[in-house]
């Protein structure tokens, strides 16, 4: 007998193929596009289940324009998933961005089980650690069999403090429940882990845990997510297996459909998996996605789509200069600088209102949209002039909340070491070394406004790109200064950041609890809107916060948008050479001499 598992992950309320930040249709993402791949994959196999792996309820402008509960009690994403006949859904950390009660309200209309095994939720919440789906299936001889499919869900530990929900280690939870599922009759077990690949060795409360999770006996198939990566990668040497377990990570926003095919045999009355295969199908590579014939989902949400577009056009403020982040990976990013200024401004208000210590204020943030798997158009680029709701949503996409932390110089150095761990090492004389590997997300890299520093790529990194400590004595941060004065390890500062980071998101250093200051909850997007609205006109200085240490005879190359060449003059300290005008993925490749 054969079983096909179809999987989506990290949809982030991208039901429709529309970029509300750029106000244009797209072909590379959107659940209505993925739905065509789902229909095609279902038509190829007799026995199919469809699952989602979390972070589907929030994350796009469409998710900010939800109808009143009284007019439509079913959350739009849940309505879309009901329409597509999903069999089960796991919860991710961002599904709790509006609190526990919002999640419970959102899932009430689901026609499928909603799962998470490692979060402490009320027993009457309608969320289970796992489900046993008993399905009538067709065997290879045309006979009808009963198969019990176990599906279990996990989300990242320590990611729900803002929602006041305790979590547990993923592996400890799997070791508890997987044998229980087997004892209750599961013939096959699918693990939906809202978690990235991570390192091979397990550590307590590990955020990205697919590698060690794949070693748990009894798990037959694995679906990952959270980090917005794809696995197996197109053209890569991996074959869709982790420790022999077929595994998929289907990108983000509906960019890919994960397909796992299991072959099963029955011996002594028990079904067992004898072989499997895992692959991805990309929306952008499917010709039918350019002009879908079946637009049922589009029709279901046309009113919500139109009201969202209208709301996004509301004026908030003005900017004198263009704002963009095409060159964020080489230290030139005016778009993220505006977010940092807004965070600093709010930190000053908190400091005055709460009578906080008179310490220097700093602000840390990253560019969410930095190319990568999102493609050459996946950057923030705003022209001079009017800033709208759409502009601000483009500057900061996720509903992370403001956090203020008392930190030392040593802590800041560790923070920046983690940030620059995404870069590859470059030795004197080496030409055109790739700055970072394609599989490493650019949004991990953060800069800190209020400091200046250099990054020495000739040195080994203190952390791995995934955030694991490699060497406590290694270091790349040089000339770390505040207002021109070297920062000492014992110096103290107030760092404006997000709840996601202070809880270890991205495997950044964790502050001790007593150093996290008790500020009123507010989303970064909200304080950004307040800041822009209260300015006569925004004029962001684009001078560098950080630069690379010069390396004799060496250079690095990196990908960015072809549109970058139109704004590179805004960053006169960059000395870029164009290597490739348009590569196979549509990016321009630039060389930066060190």
């Amino acid at each position: 007998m054969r079983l096909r598992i179809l999987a989506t992950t990290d949809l982030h309320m991208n039901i429709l193929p529309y970029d509300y930040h750029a106000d244009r249709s797209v072909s590379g993402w959107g659940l209505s596009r993925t739905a065509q791949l789902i229909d095609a994959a279902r038509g190829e196999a007799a026995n199919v289940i469809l699952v989602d792996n979390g972070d589907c309820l929030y994350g796009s402008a469409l998710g900010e324009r939800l109808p009143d509960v009284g007019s439509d009690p079913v959350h739009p994403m849940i309505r879309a998933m009901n329409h597509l006949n999903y069999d089960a859904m796991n919860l991710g950390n961002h599904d709790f961005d509006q609190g526990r009660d919002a999640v419970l309200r959102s899932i009430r209309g689901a026609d499928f089980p909603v799962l998470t095994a490692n979060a402490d939720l009320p027993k009457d919440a309608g969320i289970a650690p796992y489900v046993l789906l008993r399905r009538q299936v067709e065997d290879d001889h045309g006979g009808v069999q009963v198969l019990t499919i176990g599906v279990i869900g996990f989300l990242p530990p320590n990611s729900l403090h803002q929602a006041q929900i305790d979590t547990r280690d993923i592996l400890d939870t799997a070791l508890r429940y997987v044998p229980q599922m087997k004892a209750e009759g599961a013939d096959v077990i699918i693990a939906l882990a809202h978690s990235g690949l991570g390192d091979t060795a397990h550590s307590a409360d590990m955020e990205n845990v697919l590698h060690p999770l794949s070693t748990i006996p009894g798990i037959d198939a694995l679906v990952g997510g959270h980090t917005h990566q794809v696995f197996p990668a197109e053209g890569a040497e991996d074959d869709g297996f982790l420790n022999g377990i077929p595994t998929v990570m289907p990108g983000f926003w509906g960019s890919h459909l994960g397909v796992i095919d299991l072959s099963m045999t029955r011996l002594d009355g028990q079904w067992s998996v004898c072989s499997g295969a895992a692959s991805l199908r990309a929306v952008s590579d499917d010709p039918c996605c350019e002009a879908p014939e079946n637009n049922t989902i589009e029709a279901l949400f046309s009113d919500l789509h139109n009201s969202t577009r209208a709301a996004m056009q509301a004026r908030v403020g003005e900017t004198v200069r263009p704002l963009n982040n095409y060159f964020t990976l080489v230290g030139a990013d005016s778009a993220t600088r505006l977010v940092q200024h807004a965070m600093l401004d709010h930190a000053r208000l908190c400091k005055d209102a709460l009578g906080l210590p008179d310490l220097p204020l700093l602000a840390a943030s990253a560019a969410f949209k930095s190319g990568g798997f999102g493609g050459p158009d996946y950057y923030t680029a705003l022209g001079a002039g009017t800033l709208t709701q759409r502009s601000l949503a483009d500057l900061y996409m996720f509903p992370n909340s403001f956090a203020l932390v008392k930190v030392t110089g040593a802590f800041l150095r560790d923070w920046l070491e983690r940030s620059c761990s995404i870069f590859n090492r470059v030795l004197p004389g080496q030409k055109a070394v790739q700055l970072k590997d394609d599989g490493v997300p650019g949004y991990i890299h953060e800069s800190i406004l209020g400091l200046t520093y250099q990054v020495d790529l000739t040195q080994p990194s203190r952390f791995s790109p995934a955030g694991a400590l490699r060497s406590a004595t290694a270091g790349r941060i040089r000339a770390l200064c505040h207002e021109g004065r070297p920062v000492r390890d014992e110096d103290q500062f107030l760092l404006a950041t997000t709840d996601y980071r202070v809880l270890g998101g991205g495997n950044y250093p964790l502050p001790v609890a007593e150093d996290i200051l008790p500020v009123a909850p507010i989303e970064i997007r909200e304080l950004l809107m307040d800041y822009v609205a209260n300015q006569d006109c925004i004029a962001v200085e684009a001078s560098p916060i950080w630069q690379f240490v010069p390396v004799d005879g060496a250079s690095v190359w990196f990908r960015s948008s072809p549109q970058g060449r139109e704004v590179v003059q805004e960053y006169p300290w960059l000395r870029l050479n164009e290597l490739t005008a348009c590569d196979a993925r549509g990016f321009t490749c630039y060389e930066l001499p060190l």
Side-chain angles (χ1 to χ4, degrees):
M1 190 274 297
R2 302 172 200 280
L3 175 67
R4 169 164 283 187
I5 304 156
L6 305 180
T8 55
T9 192
D10 294 274
L11 293 171
H12 285 291
M13 264 301 286
N14 285 279
I15 299 173
L16 304 178
Y18 202 85
D19 183 347
Y20 294 94
H21 302 144
D23 198 25
R24 62 181 176 84
S25 297
V26 296
S27 60
W29 69 72
L31 182 58
S32 65
R33 305 284 192 186
T34 325
Q36 296 179 279
L37 301 180
I38 292 170
D39 287 346
R42 276 177 166 153
E44 298 164 359
N47 311 310
V48 182
I49 68 167
L50 173 63
V51 296
D52 182 77
N53 193 29
D55 276 8
C56 70
L57 298 177
Y58 306 106
S60 81
L62 198 68
E64 304 303 313
R65 301 290 303 170
L66 300 185
D68 294 335
V69 172
S71 61
D72 188 351
V74 181
H75 187 284
M77 180 57 80
I78 297 298
R79 181 175 293 281
M81 295 170 78
N82 285 342
H83 178 77
L84 292 172
N85 296 313
Y86 272 75
D87 291 276
M89 163 189 159
N90 182 32
L91 289 171
N93 54 300
H94 282 299
D95 292 321
F96 291 85
D97 279 342
Q98 295 189 14
R100 185 188 69 177
D101 292 343
V103 175
L104 301 187
R105 286 195 304 270
S106 296
I107 65 171
R108 281 177 189 161
D111 294 339
F112 46 83
V114 179
L115 310 173
T116 187
N118 65 319
D120 291 333
L121 296 167
K123 292 184 178 179
D124 61 353
I127 300 169
Y130 61 85
V131 65
L132 301 181
L133 304 172
R134 290 177 172 84
R135 296 287 191 264
Q136 286 193 334
V137 296
E138 181 182 324
D139 64 27
D140 285 357
H141 302 289
V144 176
Q145 305 285 345
V146 175
L147 184 72
T148 301
I149 305 166
V151 186
I152 186 170
F154 307 98
L155 50 69
N158 297 321
S159 63
L160 304 183
H161 287 292
Q162 195 73 14
Q164 298 182 329
I165 297 172
D166 292 332
T167 58
R168 294 177 297 280
D169 181 80
I170 291 178
L171 255 68
D172 289 347
T173 307
L175 289 168
R176 172 188 175 188
Y177 282 124
V178 170
Q180 185 173 316
M181 296 168 71
K182 282 289 187 185
E184 293 177 9
D187 296 306
V188 57
I189 293 179
I190 305 162
L192 307 181
H194 193 76
S195 181
L197 293 168
D199 292 314
T200 55
H202 174 248
S203 57
D205 287 339
M206 194 171 176
E207 178 182 6
N208 296 308
V209 75
L210 292 188
H211 274 293
L213 183 61
S214 65
T215 67
I216 299 295
I219 292 178
D220 298 297
L222 190 54
V223 179
H226 183 51
T227 58
H228 293 197
Q229 293 173 278
V230 293
F231 181 91
E234 183 179 359
E237 294 182 0
D238 55 62
D239 54 4
F241 291 89
L242 294 179
N243 294 303
I245 304 301
T247 303
V248 292
M249 295 180 67
F252 61 103
W253 300 2
S255 63
H256 294 75
L257 177 68
V259 182
I260 297 177
D261 288 305
L262 301 179
S263 295
M264 307 183 68
T265 57
R266 188 172 177 87
L267 183 63
D268 297 330
Q270 179 70 46
W271 286 103
S272 62
V273 175
C274 57
S275 65
S279 62
L280 295 181
R281 299 185 182 185
V283 164
S284 58
D285 293 337
D286 194 277
C288 70
C289 291
E290 295 300 325
E293 296 178 3
N294 181 4
N295 62 356
T296 307
I297 295 181
E298 281 90 336
L300 281 174
F301 300 102
S302 60
D303 288 346
L304 181 59
H305 167 71
N306 291 333
S307 65
T308 299
R309 285 191 64 200
M312 295 290 280
Q313 300 306 317
R315 179 190 178 280
V316 181
E318 298 282 330
T319 176
V320 173
R321 302 184 183 91
L323 302 169
N324 58 76
N325 65 357
Y326 292 128
F327 303 110
T328 186
L329 293 180
V330 291
D333 184 347
S334 55
T336 301
R337 184 75 62 88
L338 173 56
V339 176
Q340 292 168 330
H341 275 297
M343 294 171 70
L344 271 185
D345 184 70
H346 189 74
R348 291 188 191 99
L349 296 176
C350 293
K351 180 179 174 181
D352 295 340
L354 298 176
L356 298 176
D358 188 20
L359 298 174
L361 290 170
L362 311 172
S365 190
F368 286 116
K369 298 173 67 175
S370 55
F373 294 117
D377 295 327
Y378 192 56
Y379 294 87
T380 293
L382 307 175
T386 300
L387 292 174
T388 63
Q389 291 275 16
R390 178 175 67 83
S391 309
L392 301 189
D394 199 16
L395 284 165
Y396 203 93
M397 299 172 58
F398 292 107
N400 295 332
S401 294
F402 177 83
L404 192 59
V405 189
K406 186 167 69 173
V407 298
T408 64
F411 184 91
L412 290 172
R413 189 176 294 275
D414 238 20
W415 188 282
L416 293 172
E417 291 290 353
R418 166 63 185 124
S419 171
C420 69
S421 67
I422 70 169
F423 299 134
N424 289 321
R425 193 176 183 185
V426 183
L427 299 178
Q430 292 183 326
K431 294 285 189 181
V433 177
Q434 187 170 6
L435 180 58
K436 76 169 186 67
D437 293 337
D438 289 337
V440 177
Y443 59 75
I444 292 176
H445 180 262
E446 288 206 344
S447 61
I448 299 181
L449 181 62
L451 300 177
T452 57
Y453 53 96
Q454 293 181 313
V455 177
D456 187 353
L457 295 182
T458 67
Q459 298 303 305
S461 61
R462 183 172 298 178
F463 300 94
S464 73
L469 182 65
R470 282 177 169 170
S471 170
T473 59
R476 292 176 162 180
I477 301 301
R478 300 285 181 267
L480 181 61
C481 293
H482 173 257
E483 295 183 346
R485 183 181 65 83
V487 173
R488 300 169 299 177
D489 283 354
E490 63 272 18
D491 289 342
Q492 293 192 331
F493 301 85
L494 295 178
L495 177 67
T497 178
T498 67
D499 57 335
Y500 178 69
R501 287 292 190 231
V502 299
L503 297 174
N507 288 324
Y508 267 73
L510 281 168
V512 295
E514 54 267 30
D515 287 337
I516 302 174
L517 301 173
V519 296
I522 183 173
E523 289 187 8
I524 302 296
R525 291 182 300 189
E526 185 177 346
L527 66 85
L528 176 60
M529 188 186 311
D530 291 343
Y531 177 76
V532 171
N534 290 328
Q535 304 295 310
D536 291 332
C537 198
I538 299 295
V540 175
E541 288 292 334
S543 55
I545 292 174
W546 65 274
Q547 292 179 285
F548 292 115
V549 171
V551 181
D552 187 39
S555 65
V556 294
W557 75 270
F558 63 97
R559 291 186 175 91
S560 187
S561 169
Q563 303 302 317
R565 62 169 69 95
E566 298 178 9
V567 300
V568 69
Q569 70 277 1
E570 299 170 22
Y571 310 107
W573 67 91
L574 289 182
R575 298 174 295 117
L576 297 179
N577 303 317
E578 190 175 295
L579 296 178
T580 306
C582 186
D583 69 6
R585 296 171 57 200
F587 287 94
T588 294
C589 298
Y590 296 92
E591 181 184 24
L592 175 70
L594 296 176

